[in-house]
Amino acid sequence: MGNKAKFNLYSIPYFLWIVFFVIAPILLVLYYSLFDIDGNFSLVNYKNFFTPVYLMMTLNSFWYAFLITFFSLLFAYPTAYLLTKTKHKQLWLLLIIVPSWINLLLKAYAFLGIFGTYGAANKFLETIGIGSKQILFTDFSFIFVSVYIFIPFMILPIFNALNKLNPTFMDAANDLGASTWTTFRRVIFPLTLDGVKSGCQVVFIPALSLFMLTRLISGNRVITLGTAIEQHFLVIQDWGMGSTIAVFLIIFMFLIMALTGARKRGV
């Protein structure tokens, strides 16, 4: 009985955090979404969301989030696999994760210099004879910088899944005559799928609501739901429509979490 009471006591801060910093903000956003720009109670914001402008914005957000997640996974999986084979894997993993501690704004400004007209990227292109190109304010620069920022979050769960993999499974596959590709496809990848799902979840969800990089790196050429929310709150001052977009963004995020959530395997 005493242990149960102690557990309940320790759980109070957790429940207070959930109530005040998760549930309350969501309810507040939902409340503001029910008012139009003039402050009148209305469902017009939800009606406007299903117009071509916002639907196209939603498709753009999903498309860019998919590209960022795809390229992050494409580079993160082999990187994580190689890390598990190195001698000082924890040190190398730390070196990969450390850049994620740097402020996002600082990294964005760093790439403004790197991809600028007189930046290091263009100097390299001139050196190899290609010549100066417009790299900044393009889809390429936006996706490249986004992948650079998110890739540590993709590597970490995949690395953990690969690191916990029992090597006897690969040995058994080799003994049975399986090729390297077959071993990866039938043994390694399925057993590390939970790590892949976690990585995709932790990259796709924030990529869906990016707004700072769309301004600094793509020069507002990329318009996402996150950009629209910022515009409605800070520029147009239409808090109702901004909140409505945020409501749908929250719904999308919960759906993604449900689809990519790890399912317990039966014993």
Side-chain angles (χ1 to χ4, degrees), residues 81 85 165-175 183 187-188 191:
Y81 183 79
K85 303 300 180 183
L165 198 61
N166 193 333
T168 57
F169 293 138
M170 281 77 81
D171 294 337
N174 292 331
D175 291 341
T183 302
V187 179
I188 298 175
L191 292 175

Side-chain angles (χ1 to χ4, degrees), residues 76-77 79-86 89-90 93 154-165 192 195:
Y77 202 103
T79 302
Y81 183 79
L82 289 174
L83 281 175
T84 60
K85 303 300 180 183
T86 57
K89 52 188 174 184
Q90 297 298 337
L93 181 64
M154 180 71 80
I155 290 174
L156 187 58
I158 295 175
F159 171 84
N160 289 333
L162 286 166
N163 202 38
K164 293 176 182 176
L165 198 61
T192 57

Side-chain angles (χ1 to χ4, degrees), residues 220-235:
N220 277 342
R221 290 187 71 260
V222 175
I223 304 298
T224 63
L225 293 176
T227 311
I229 292 172
E230 183 203 21
Q231 286 284 327
H232 280 88
F233 273 97
L234 301 181
V235 180

Side-chain angles (χ1 to χ4, degrees), residues 48-60:
N48 290 338
F49 184 84
F50 291 97
T51 56
V53 174
Y54 291 104
L55 291 177
M56 183 59 65
M57 201 178 296
T58 303
L59 288 176
N60 279 340

Side-chain angles (χ1 to χ4, degrees), residues 107-196:
K107 288 188 283 190
Y109 275 114
F111 275 102
L112 285 177
I114 294 170
F115 286 154
T117 306
Y118 305 103
N122 268 315
K123 287 187 181 299
F124 173 75
L125 292 178
E126 289 174 358
T127 301
I128 62 176
I130 296 177
S132 181
K133 299 290 182 181
Q134 176 62 42
I135 304 175
L136 200 60
F137 307 137
T138 61
D139 287 358
F140 166 79
S141 62
F142 172 69
I143 294 171
F144 184 94
V145 176
S146 299
V147 170
Y148 166 78
I149 288 169
F150 286 121
I151 200 167
F153 305 105
M154 180 71 80
I155 290 174
L156 187 58
I158 295 175
F159 171 84
N160 289 333
L162 286 166
N163 202 38
K164 293 176 182 176
L165 198 61
N166 193 333
T168 57
F169 293 138
M170 281 77 81
D171 294 337
N174 292 331
D175 291 341
L176 292 171
S179 64
T180 303
W181 169 246
T182 303
T183 302
F184 172 77
R185 183 170 57 89
R186 300 292 297 272
V187 179
I188 298 175
F189 188 77
L191 292 175
T192 57
L193 192 57
D194 286 345
V196 172

